[in-house]
Every structure is written in C-alpha cells, then in structure tokens.
Amino acid sequence: MSEHESNNAPSHDGDTGEDFRCGTVALLGRPNVGKSTLLNALIGMRLSIVSPKPQTTRHRILGIATSDEGQILYVDTPGLHRGARKAMNRSLNRAARSAMAEVDLGVQVIEAGRFTDEDEAVYDALAAQSVPRLLVVNKVDKLKDKGAMLPFVSKLLEERSFDEVFYVSALKRKGLEAIQQGILSRLPQQPPIFGPDDVTDRSERFLAAELVREQLMLRLEQELPYATTVEIEQFRDREDGVTEVHAVVWVERDGQKAIVIGQGGAQLKAVGSGARRAMERLFDRRVFLRLWVKVREGWVDDETALKRFGYTD
C-alpha cells in the first residue's frame, strides 16, 4: 500500500495469522504541530477536525487503520501546554497525559526545525512511561534550509532517546508508509480489536458537534473560538433519509453571542452551511442542521459545565 492510498478499507476477510499485530498508539505534541492532520492522513479520511489555531483538538479521538499486517489504533490527543490556568486547559492536559498511560507506543510529533519548552515537557511526560517512543518530525516541506534538518535532529537526540525518527509532511502525505511500518513492528502480536471497516469508536453525534466547532475555529477571530463549545440536542434519522441535527453553540458572554450570530445572522448561517456540508461528506447522506447560540457565563472554568459538555471523564 502506498502512502497516498487510504488504509481504512483492508482487503483481509477477518482471518488473521500469527503475525498480525494490533495495539494503541498515542500521537502527542504541543499545540499546533499537526497531530490531527497526521491522524487524518494515517487513517485515510478526515476524522479529526483541523484549523490553523492551536488547541483545536479538545478530546481524545481514536482513529483506526486496518491492513493485512495489523490494526493500529491511533489516539489523537489535545496538545500539552503550560500555563493551564482555567479548568478547560487543565482538562485538556489531563486528557493528553492519561492517554500516555493506556497505549502500547508513544509518538511525539514536533515541527521541523523547532523544539520549544512545551516540546520538552511533552518529551519528559512521554519518557516517564515504559513504552517505546518514536519521534515524528512534521512539516519538513516548510523548512527552507533542508541542510539544517540533520544537525537539528542530531542535537535534539544528544540528550533525548527515541527508538526511531521519521521525517514527514502530514499535509502532503509524505513519509506515512515508513511511520506505519515502524509502528506495526513494535505492536504486540494479537487479533484485531475492531472490525475491518471501523475507523473510529466515536459516534456520529460526537462527530457532528466537532464539525460545527471546526467551522467556529475557522471563521471566528482571535480568542473567540476558545470561548465556544457545541452541544448536540437532537440527532435523528428521518424517514425521508435525511439526518436531522439540532445543535447549540455555547458562549460565555452576550457580546460573544452577537458576534457568533453576526449581522443579520450571516455568521451563524455560514458556520451552519460549512458544518452541514462536512457532515454530508462524512456521513454520506443528506443532513438538515439547525443551530442556536446560548450563553453560559464562565463555562471554560466551570467543572460542572465541562462535564456536561463532555470534557471530563
């Protein structure tokens, strides 16, 4: 299988031999290094939402890639970051750290040519776990001085230990096959956990909320996307074959509500149109989406609200 082909439609019929491998892999890194883009590329479909803004990923997302050789369960985690002052930030860090304790292998994703204090914190957390660890240097296509790559990695490895290093461009789908083989070779030999056609353990209801939130991340300016979350109030398949989705966009203040709605409702309409089209592509059927905007003051620092919105275990 080439790195440009989807690997979520395996050819095997469910009979796995003794060499079949299966295990869980955590994709770890500071915010905005491309973990979600890498997950989507590795499983061959757009599962985890992506935006240019850091901390787009707020939940652990499981992506399943099954081939004749094995089944890899990729866990896309929120980016580990320092200065977690609010309950939301602490929740994201807990989600990322807890993922490390439940996997067979850890993959730290960094940006080519850049290793920050937050990258160091991710490494320290991963090194504390007794699992193999791989380093993925992402965005190699954006590094202008290609000759600086090997010295950069050599210096990085002087005081840090990884089992193997991979150079990729997740956005351009370059170097993926080598990562897959490197991961598979380190997973335990055991039968698959999920079916050959499964791509995630998340429900369509959850994915619908994420697709609305993705549009908010893409369309809203500055800090406003971080004050929003999405709750699905209704998700049903109608007799006419259309899936009807009712969703609430929660914000912290009345002023934010006005911005999300926009003049004459234009902003909310654009968010809804983009999310509906994304749902129809992902679910492969027609979708009727209705959106509302409501205010819950201080929800990002409210443990009760976070639990309601699915951010805590």
Side-chain angles (χ1 to χ4, degrees), residues 3-279:
E3 62 192 41
H4 296 281
E5 295 172 341
S6 170
N7 57 2
N8 65 342
S11 59
H12 67 78
D13 57 7
D15 294 327
T16 57
E18 294 181 357
D19 294 334
F20 193 87
R21 294 175 180 270
C22 177
T24 306
V25 179
L27 300 178
L28 304 159
R30 63 173 168 80
N32 222 30
V33 293
K35 298 182 299 296
S36 296
T37 302
L38 180 60
L39 171 69
N40 292 341
L42 287 167
I43 67 171
M45 69 172 290
R46 200 169 184 276
L47 175 66
S48 196
I49 65 171
V50 176
S51 88
K53 297 182 176 69
Q55 298 178 34
T56 298
T57 300
R58 289 180 178 172
H59 304 270
R60 283 184 288 175
I61 308 293
L62 183 69
I64 305 164
T66 309
S67 66
D68 290 331
E69 293 79 25
Q71 185 175 85
I72 306 175
L73 312 180
Y74 293 104
V75 182
D76 183 19
T77 61
L80 270 172
H81 56 283
R82 294 180 172 176
R85 294 183 297 273
K86 294 190 175 181
M88 162 67 82
N89 303 115
R90 295 193 295 271
S91 173
L92 300 187
N93 277 350
R94 285 197 301 269
R97 291 181 183 279
S98 65
M100 298 184 200
E102 304 168 359
V103 298
D104 299 294
L105 188 150
V107 174
Q108 180 171 0
V109 184
I110 67 171
E111 186 177 347
R114 190 177 179 208
F115 195 85
T116 70
D117 289 344
E118 286 187 308
D119 291 305
E120 189 69 60
V122 174
Y123 174 79
D124 290 341
L126 180 56
Q129 306 299 318
S130 57
V131 296
R133 52 185 178 269
L134 308 181
L135 177 66
V136 169
V137 183
N138 190 26
K139 304 184 183 181
V140 295
D141 55 307
K142 293 186 176 181
L143 191 66
K144 294 181 179 180
D145 182 7
K146 306 299 183 186
M149 179 69 73
L150 290 180
F152 162 72
V153 173
S154 295
K155 184 177 180 180
L156 191 152
L157 295 178
E158 287 178 1
E159 298 179 356
R160 304 167 192 86
S161 175
F162 290 93
D163 292 81
E164 197 168 355
V165 180
F166 299 91
Y167 302 89
V168 307
S169 169
L171 187 62
K172 295 189 176 181
R173 302 179 59 82
K174 300 292 186 180
L176 304 183
E177 187 174 0
I179 297 177
Q180 292 165 332
Q181 292 305 313
I183 289 172
L184 275 173
S185 67
R186 293 172 172 87
L187 294 182
Q189 292 183 343
Q190 61 179 354
I193 296 173
F194 292 91
D197 296 322
D198 291 334
V199 292
T200 186
D201 63 342
R202 289 291 193 172
S203 68
E204 290 184 337
R205 186 186 187 101
F206 170 85
L207 296 174
E210 285 289 274
L211 290 173
V212 175
R213 195 167 62 79
E214 180 179 47
Q215 291 299 312
L216 294 169
M217 296 293 292
L218 291 171
R219 295 176 184 276
L220 298 178
E221 297 298 326
Q222 299 177 348
E223 296 302 311
L224 188 54
Y226 303 104
T228 65
T229 193
V230 178
E231 183 180 30
I232 302 298
E233 290 195 329
Q234 179 173 298
F235 189 103
R236 70 182 183 97
D237 294 324
R238 302 190 319 210
E239 292 183 358
D240 60 0
V242 175
T243 295
E244 184 171 345
V245 182
H246 294 184
V248 175
V249 177
W250 289 96
V251 296
E252 291 190 286
R253 297 189 297 273
D254 286 329
Q256 295 169 343
K257 177 179 179 179
I259 294 172
V260 173
I261 293 173
Q263 187 173 2
Q267 183 74 278
L268 190 63
K269 182 178 179 180
V271 168
S273 296
R276 177 185 55 78
R277 289 193 296 269
M279 289 179 204

Side-chain angles (χ1 to χ4, degrees), residues 281-296:
R281 288 192 297 269
L282 184 60
F283 303 153
D284 195 25
R285 59 185 185 273
R286 290 174 59 205
V287 171
F288 173 77
L289 173 64
R290 293 192 66 183
L291 294 179
W292 291 265
V293 184
K294 298 182 181 180
V295 177
R296 176 156 181 165

Side-chain angles (χ1 to χ4, degrees), residues 294-307:
K294 298 182 181 180
V295 177
R296 176 156 181 165
E297 292 187 7
W299 73 264
V300 297
D301 205 20
D302 183 339
E303 295 285 358
T304 301
L306 290 174
K307 186 174 182 179

